[in-house]
Amino acid sequence: MDTSSRVRDGSPIVATAVAIGLAIFGIAATQLTTLPAFLLDPALITSPGDASITARTALMVLNFLGFALAGGIYLAATDRGWSYVDWRMPTGRGWIYVLVGIVGSIAFYFLVSILVQLLSLPTTDNQVMEYVAGDQTMILVMILIVFFFNAPAEEFLFRNVIQKRLYDAFTRMQAVVVASLIFALVHIPAYLAASGDLLSIGPDALFATTVSLAVVFGGSLIFGYLYAKTDNLVVPTAAHAAFNAFQFGLLYLALEFGLEVEDPAQSVVADLVFVLS
């Protein structure tokens, strides 16, 4: 039943606090799950682009498994169980929403690109680009990762767990906004870290980070809306994966044909990695 049509009995403050706590828990979990990758190749710490593809792939996969682990622990601890997970094959209507999500996210991406160029707005890179390092093979690997690990793990934690938990205290559209805001804010460390020394970040870097976070927030609204309308995790996951794969595909083609790559939404190789330290 649509949460907007029934009485909500949860506290907005408590629900928001739980949602923020789950996001932080997800980030903390990735710090533990990615440790084997750093042990496999210490170059990931000092010069990520020089690390082996095996190590970089392991890092990305383990990072997203951390999000899934955090969500799974929450479901187990609250006795919600796996029946709480809205994972099922979409109906015809569901696939229409997937298509709308893909088209909408790509249109949003290009709209932002145009605005950033016209207004000469700065953006900052997400740390994930340090691990891709202009390596075409790694880009192809990342396309597989977004389909099998990135999109499923992020949508599970931020949509099926966090956004759904917010339904107890907010209308569905309010929950989409709050979950998307949390989703954007947890990117702050990754964007600031990519800007340079965290102790010497100036106003320009902070402004560039704000622009990039606004883009992440907008993209998250699209995927959150898809989940709110369908109650099916497969729908936003499929749209999210296709969108990220599209972005990596553009990057691959740019490198393949030696094009100047100036991606106005730079770091928005959508919400790929939050905190990789």
Side-chain angles (χ1 to χ4, degrees):
M1 176 184 293
D2 190 323
T3 308
S4 62
S5 65
R6 65 177 174 82
V7 176
R8 291 174 294 280
D9 55 8
S11 163
I13 295 177
V14 172
T16 302
V18 171
I20 293 173
L22 282 167
I24 294 174
F25 181 44
I27 294 173
T30 66
Q31 304 308 298
L32 294 177
T33 56
T34 54
L35 285 177
F38 290 106
L39 294 175
L40 177 64
D41 192 339
L44 287 170
I45 300 174
T46 57
S47 53
D50 295 328
S52 67
I53 288 183
T54 298
R56 284 181 282 165
T57 300
L59 177 67
M60 295 296 175
V61 170
L62 292 172
N63 182 73
F64 296 121
L65 287 180
F67 292 136
L69 177 64
I73 290 175
Y74 174 75
L75 296 186
T78 57
D79 293 324
R80 283 172 166 80
W82 291 111
S83 61
Y84 191 76
V85 181
D86 299 316
W87 188 270
R88 60 185 179 277
M89 185 60 64
T91 61
R93 173 176 173 271
W95 286 115
I96 291 176
Y97 272 107
V98 171
L99 181 60
V100 169
I102 295 172
V103 174
S105 57
I106 292 175
F108 173 72
Y109 176 83
F110 282 114
L111 174 62
V112 168
S113 299
I114 293 171
L115 289 176
V116 168
Q117 289 181 339
L118 289 177
L119 301 177
S120 299
L121 298 176
T123 58
T124 186
D125 281 325
N126 187 296
Q127 279 182 300
V128 71
M129 298 311 294
E130 296 179 11
Y131 297 93
V132 173
D135 184 333
Q136 287 178 281
T137 301
M138 190 63 200
I139 292 173
L140 295 177
V141 170
M142 288 304 303
I143 291 176
L144 293 177
I145 289 175
V146 299
F147 275 101
F148 294 104
F149 298 98
N150 167 220
E154 288 185 348
E155 293 304 313
F156 167 57
L157 179 60
F158 284 90
R159 242 58 73 180
N160 203 154
V161 176
I162 291 177
Q163 182 174 308
K164 193 172 181 178
R165 172 64 178 83
L166 290 169
Y167 289 167
D168 291 344
F170 298 95
T171 65
R172 293 212 168 195
M173 292 304 102
Q174 289 172 338
V176 169
V177 173
V178 175
S180 296
L181 181 60
I182 294 172
F183 183 71
L185 291 179
V186 296
H187 284 74
I188 290 177
Y191 286 123
L192 289 181
S195 299
D197 185 356
L198 290 176
L199 299 178
S200 60
I201 289 177
D204 290 343
L206 289 175
F207 183 53
T209 297
T210 300
V211 172
S212 295
L213 292 177
V215 177
V216 172
F217 174 71
S220 183
L221 287 176
I222 293 174
F223 303 129
Y225 175 80
L226 295 178
Y227 178 63
K229 295 298 290 184
T230 63
D231 285 321
N232 187 345
L233 189 58
V234 175
V235 173
T237 298
H240 185 162
F243 173 54
N244 279 356
F246 170 78
Q247 290 179 293
F248 276 117
L250 289 182
L251 179 58
Y252 180 88
L253 291 175
L255 293 173
E256 177 69 18
F257 294 101
L259 303 178
E260 274 299 312
V261 180
E262 180 151 352
D263 185 353
Q266 290 166 22
S267 51
V268 188
V269 173
D271 30 69
L272 268 182
V273 174
F274 294 100
V275 178
L276 294 173
S277 60

